[in-house]
Amino acid sequence: MKNLIIIFITFCCVGFYSCVDLDLEPKGQFTEAEFFGTEAGVQTYFAGLYGWLPIEDFHYQQNNGYRPGDAWGTWESPKQQQATMSAEYVGDPQVNNNGNDYWRYDRIRDVNMFINNFEKYKDLYTEKKYNELLGEARFLRAFIFSGMVKRYGGIPIISEVQDPMADVETLRVKRDTEYDCYKFIYEDLKFASENMTEKADKYRGTKWTALALQSRLMLYAATIAKYTQYVPFAGEEAYEKGLAGIDASKANEFFQYSYDASKKLIESGPYQLYKNYSDLAVNFHEMLLDTDSKETIFFKNYLHHDLFNRNAYLIGHNWDALMLPNPSMSNFVGAQAYPSLTTMQSFEGFPDLVAEDGTPKRWDSPADIKNSMEPRMRGSMFFNGDVFQDVTFEMRRGLYKTFPWQANVVKDGLNNESPHNTNNNRLLSNDYNTRYTFSAQEAANIHNINVKEDGGTYYINVIGAHGTRTSTGRENNCLTGAYVQKYINPKMEKGKIIEHASFQPWVAFRLGEVYLNHAEAAYELGYKDEANTYIRKIRERAGCENLDISNDPADVIPWDYEKTTTVYPIDVELQFIRDERFRELWGENHRWWDLRRWRVADKVLEQFRPRILSCYYVLDEDKYIYLDEREMGDRTWTANRICYYQAIPSGEINKNPNLLPQNPFR
């Protein structure tokens, strides 16, 4: 009897990569030989697996997960993006300590089916091509397996296709240790990187993609090993059995694996930091949009293909429609999340908002706040005066009739505390069209704000065209004084920035991340000069003035450093490396996983309340001020110690009690 591999729609109708050009007859099922006996068949088989890779992209939702088979249902994804969970953005919701399930042994079985049976077709391939395809399969298995390990810790290592007719107890496999799981991933990636093609391909795994994944995951394992000892897991059965946590003595083993992979990719790979524009802010922004970028190692695109219908169909994501303000830019419901002042202040060159005498610094133009910012920051966020498709951003919270007070009067109290906000001295509005009127003589003396005229009435709008309203809701209401620019595509057709209409790829691996992985691993291994070399390269491209790793506590992010030192002692230089990772990879969905692996999530995100950048126009001075204020909705981020390991899904435990013990604190 022929071996049949049934391919269901849920397997095939997912995000495909380079395989959309395959010309295959639509069928409901294929023989094993049709898939594994030709390179085109193998690529078709792999294509379905690529769509299930655990990539936290535009469609990923912190509450609902990857949803690879429900792309049409992801229009709300920017509302639930992971960067809001790590407080990189201010929006809703906040921390999901329980995480979302990714129990993908169905896909592991699919990969194992190939790995276990491919040898039967070895004579149909050259040895090189056979090993390339086998290496790609092991890359896919390592990637899918890692999505489970980084959530649950130790899980069963399944490398052979299980017989569903076998004895029940045989099928009820036990969990392996977290150490063994990361070693299994390492062995798969080692084989993959030694055998996969060296030809760069952003759409499919290559030798370099395997090295990039090894660089990242082995750093995860190393820091989990080094820092888990500082979490109070003692007495928890899963911890005591090695299912949650890795012994600290193994840390350097994994740091070395990460270091070696990064070094090999950097020194031998065909990649380089993106430096295509002399304007470094433009350069940093275009880096993620340029599909020809030599920095990009691997990305996820949004071209879908259905094996049951030869006509490929397209479905985009919603990033532009749900991160730009409506109606002047977005033609959908408008922006959903915004960078906080706390985030802005972590970048080099963010200006002091307070003058030497303690009063708010005065500005002739609200756009002047950008003058000293590092270019990387200006390429990541939109500020007052920035332009998108001929529309100038205007974020103003309101007007002050006068402001002779010290800046710190707004630091810790409510946003309506006296005396500066009483007796109608501060004017706010929930309506973008609310006016403040002037006489013709008064209007003639105003130079720094655009005074409009309507039938002989002179006026300015109380709030900016793009915020901020008094509502505490985050939809289409710039809560923080800036918008997200990262990944925004200025080349979209004007008037058609709607849901499912964005097609810029999500960059899953880029050389900049590998530099940061390498710097962190090198520092942890004691190679401080080498770590500094790669931090310098990152900061030079970012347009920073101070390029070296700093040992001055004044140069690290105060909140993160203070909170981390309540967990364990940390060198200022290492904190600086972590901070640089935050700045470079801000908004690219690394932050949550980083805080977890460093074992500081429950401290850095302990009653964390982001501050906001509030711009006001002062009427009696014809000047602008920026105030550091409390976020209007008083949103609070709180991670707790259960976040480090998700609970093994109860449904899986019901089927297999040998998955117990449950993870710590669950």
Side-chain angles (χ1 to χ4, degrees):
M1 181 182 294
K2 291 183 178 180
N3 291 321
L4 294 179
I5 301 174
I6 309 300
I7 304 298
F8 295 99
I9 292 178
T10 55
F11 177 80
C12 293
C13 299
V14 291
F16 277 25
Y17 293 76
S18 61
C19 301
V20 295
D21 297 326
L22 295 176
D23 187 16
L24 297 173
E25 291 298 323
K27 297 181 181 180
Q29 59 188 29
F30 298 85
T31 65
E32 180 184 280
E34 285 179 292
F35 271 121
F36 300 167
T38 68
E39 185 177 354
V42 172
Q43 289 180 357
T44 303
Y45 191 78
F46 286 171
L49 292 166
Y50 274 98
W52 291 92
L53 295 181
I55 298 171
E56 291 83 28
D57 67 333
F58 297 114
H59 283 165
Y60 181 76
Q61 299 182 9
Q62 59 165 291
N63 290 333
N64 297 315
Y66 302 97
R67 302 179 68 182
D70 186 20
W72 287 110
T74 60
W75 74 267
E76 291 188 300
S77 294
K79 295 183 180 183
Q80 293 190 34
Q81 60 199 283
Q82 184 165 278
T84 61
M85 185 156 72
S86 52
E88 294 166 84
Y89 302 153
V90 176
D92 291 327
Q94 281 83 59
V95 176
N96 174 9
N97 283 291
N98 293 318
N100 55 77
D101 286 333
Y102 180 79
W103 194 262
R104 291 266 67 107
Y105 278 100
D106 50 354
R107 300 289 80 89
I108 294 293
R109 178 183 176 85
D110 292 327
V111 186
N112 284 340
M113 186 176 294
F114 175 83
I115 294 172
N116 295 170
N117 292 286
F118 190 44
E119 188 174 7
K120 292 186 291 186
Y121 306 92
K122 188 173 183 178
D123 291 344
L124 300 176
Y125 299 89
T126 65
E127 183 175 0
K128 183 175 185 295
K129 179 56 65 176
Y130 174 83
N131 286 327
E132 279 183 7
L133 295 173
L134 192 59
E136 187 172 2
R138 292 185 68 171
F139 161 75
L140 289 167
R141 183 169 67 182
F143 207 157
I144 294 169
F145 194 66
S146 75
M148 295 189 282
V149 175
K150 71 181 183 181
R151 286 171 168 79
Y152 308 110
I155 55 175
I157 296 173
I158 307 293
S159 59
E160 300 289 333
V161 177
Q162 292 178 297
D163 180 359
M165 304 305 293
D167 179 79
V168 171
E169 287 306 312
T170 301
L171 296 174
R172 288 178 171 174
V173 292
K174 294 183 178 181
R175 296 168 66 184
D176 289 280
T177 66
E178 188 168 10
Y179 171 82
D180 286 337
C181 287
Y182 275 107
K183 281 288 287 188
F184 179 72
I185 291 170
Y186 168 73
E187 294 297 339
D188 264 356
L189 292 177
K190 183 174 183 292
F191 181 90
S193 65
E194 290 173 350
N195 289 280
M196 292 173 74
T197 179
E198 294 187 4
K199 183 179 179 181
D201 188 337
K202 297 182 178 71
Y203 297 87
R204 287 181 62 189
T206 66
K207 172 189 183 76
W208 314 114
T209 319
L211 287 171
L213 184 58
Q214 180 181 327
S215 167
R216 179 190 295 175
L217 294 177
M218 296 303 101
L219 189 61
Y220 281 19
T223 46
I224 287 169
K226 183 170 183 178
Y227 298 111
T228 294
Q229 61 184 303
Y230 298 103
V231 182
F233 285 153
E236 292 287 329
E237 188 177 358
Y239 171 74
E240 300 295 346
K241 290 184 174 181
L243 305 176
I246 301 172
D247 190 271
S249 65
K250 304 296 184 182
N252 280 2
E253 175 186 352
F254 288 112
F255 279 128
Q256 192 67 51
Y257 292 155
S258 176
Y259 174 92
D260 291 343
S262 300
K263 191 175 184 67
K264 187 176 296 184
L265 193 158
I266 291 168
E267 294 182 353
S268 303
Y271 305 100
Q272 59 191 45
L273 289 184
Y274 190 78
K275 296 181 180 180
N276 286 25
Y277 295 85
S278 57
D279 184 324
L280 296 183
V282 172
N283 185 76
F284 191 76
H285 180 253
E286 289 297 314
M287 168 195 62
L288 293 173
L289 297 178
D290 187 348
T291 55
D292 294 323
S293 169
K294 291 184 178 179
E295 179 164 346
T296 299
I297 300 168
F298 184 70
F299 58 43
K300 179 177 180 179
N301 71 3
Y302 296 87
L303 187 65
H304 285 233
H305 187 69
D306 182 351
L307 291 180
F308 296 90
N309 181 347
R310 295 181 65 188
N311 297 315
Y313 64 90
L314 300 176
I315 178 171
H317 55 83
N318 314 285
W319 189 251
D320 301 276
L322 287 176
M323 297 305 283
L324 289 168
N326 164 277
S328 59
M329 300 176 196
S330 168
N331 305 109
F332 194 40
V333 295
Q336 305 294 321
Y338 315 87
S340 70
L341 173 59
T342 313
T343 293
M344 300 175 206
Q345 290 172 327
S346 69
F347 286 81
E348 182 181 279
F350 187 83
D352 194 337
L353 305 179
V354 182
E356 291 184 2
D357 63 0
T359 62
K361 188 178 292 185
R362 266 56 177 179
W363 311 80
D364 290 330
S365 167
D368 290 344
I369 194 173
K370 301 182 295 180
N371 292 346
S372 61
M373 293 178 184
E374 64 168 81
R376 173 174 54 185
M377 182 183 186
R378 290 188 283 108
S380 299
M381 307 172 196
F382 285 121
F383 294 94
N384 272 316
D386 284 330
V387 177
F388 178 82
Q389 294 188 342
D390 301 323
V391 178
T392 301
F393 277 93
E394 183 190 35
M395 287 80 78
R396 184 174 64 256
R397 191 173 181 201
L399 309 175
Y400 271 107
K401 293 179 180 178
T402 187
F403 199 100
W405 297 279
Q406 298 282 293
N408 61 12
V409 297
V410 300
K411 272 286 184 184
D412 299 311
L414 297 173
N415 287 328
N416 62 351
E417 73 272 24
S418 60
H420 56 290
N421 292 343
T422 58
N423 301 319
N424 290 321
N425 184 55
R426 184 176 73 158
L427 304 175
L428 307 175
S429 179
N430 200 40
D431 183 349
Y432 289 114
N433 297 312
T434 301
R435 298 177 175 182
Y436 183 86
T437 59
F438 303 93
S439 67
Q441 183 177 357
E442 289 172 325
N445 293 322
I446 295 174
H447 306 288
N448 291 332
I449 194 169
N450 181 32
V451 178
K452 304 170 187 177
E453 189 267 336
D454 181 12
T457 299
Y458 296 88
Y459 71 94
I460 59 175
N461 293 104
V462 171
I463 63 175
H466 306 114
T468 300
R469 295 182 286 113
T470 54
S471 168
T472 60
R474 51 100 178 96
E475 186 161 284
N476 204 38
N477 182 25
C478 186
L479 296 174
T480 64
Y483 283 84
V484 174
Q485 183 180 178
K486 210 166 204 181
Y487 272 118
I488 293 293
N489 181 11
K491 297 179 182 178
M492 288 193 72
E493 186 175 352
K494 194 170 184 177
K496 294 186 178 181
I497 302 178
I498 59 175
E499 70 274 29
H500 301 299
S502 295
F503 288 92
Q504 60 269 41
W506 178 269
V507 177
F509 296 102
R510 63 181 177 93
L511 188 62
E513 182 208 342
V514 177
Y515 276 12
L516 292 163
N517 296 344
H518 193 50
E520 185 178 344
Y523 189 92
E524 292 276 19
L525 289 169
Y527 309 138
K528 295 185 179 182
D529 289 343
E530 188 171 358
N532 192 56
T533 295
Y534 288 97
I535 293 297
R536 283 184 63 90
K537 291 176 184 291
I538 288 290
R539 290 179 63 78
E540 180 182 27
R541 193 270 298 275
C544 297
E545 293 185 4
N546 302 311
L547 302 182
D548 292 314
I549 296 172
S550 175
N551 61 4
D552 184 348
D555 292 334
V556 296
I557 300 174
W559 178 272
D560 287 18
Y561 182 54
E562 175 188 339
K563 292 297 183 178
T564 297
T565 55
T566 67
V567 183
Y568 48 76
I570 183 172
D571 293 346
V572 172
E573 295 95 331
L574 181 56
Q575 183 64 54
F576 188 92
I577 291 171
R578 292 182 179 185
D579 293 349
E580 188 61 21
R581 183 179 183 88
F582 171 65
R583 288 183 283 265
E584 176 73 15
L585 301 178
W586 175 77
E588 296 180 41
N589 286 343
H590 291 274
R591 174 72 164 173
W592 175 247
W593 304 112
D594 286 339
L595 292 176
R596 287 173 83 250
R597 68 181 176 87
W598 292 327
R599 299 315 200 210
V600 296
D602 63 321
K603 296 300 180 183
V604 172
L605 297 179
E606 180 181 32
Q607 293 294 305
F608 176 73
R609 289 180 170 85
R611 306 292 294 185
I612 65 172
L613 179 68
S614 294
C615 178
Y616 294 93
Y617 175 71
V618 182
L619 289 160
D620 67 347
E621 298 181 46
D622 190 26
K623 299 283 187 180
Y624 294 88
I625 60 174
Y626 281 97
L627 298 180
D628 174 346
E629 293 188 319
R630 180 185 297 184
E631 191 270 314
M632 294 172 293
D634 199 23
R635 290 167 172 81
T636 304
W637 276 252
T638 298
N640 58 51
R641 61 187 184 178
I642 70 171
C643 77
Y644 294 118
Y645 291 99
Q646 291 180 208
I648 302 295
S650 58
E652 300 302 325
I653 292 175
N654 290 338
K655 291 184 287 186
N656 178 12
N658 287 335
L659 294 173
L660 292 172
Q662 187 54 277
N663 277 330
F665 312 127
R666 295 290 183 174

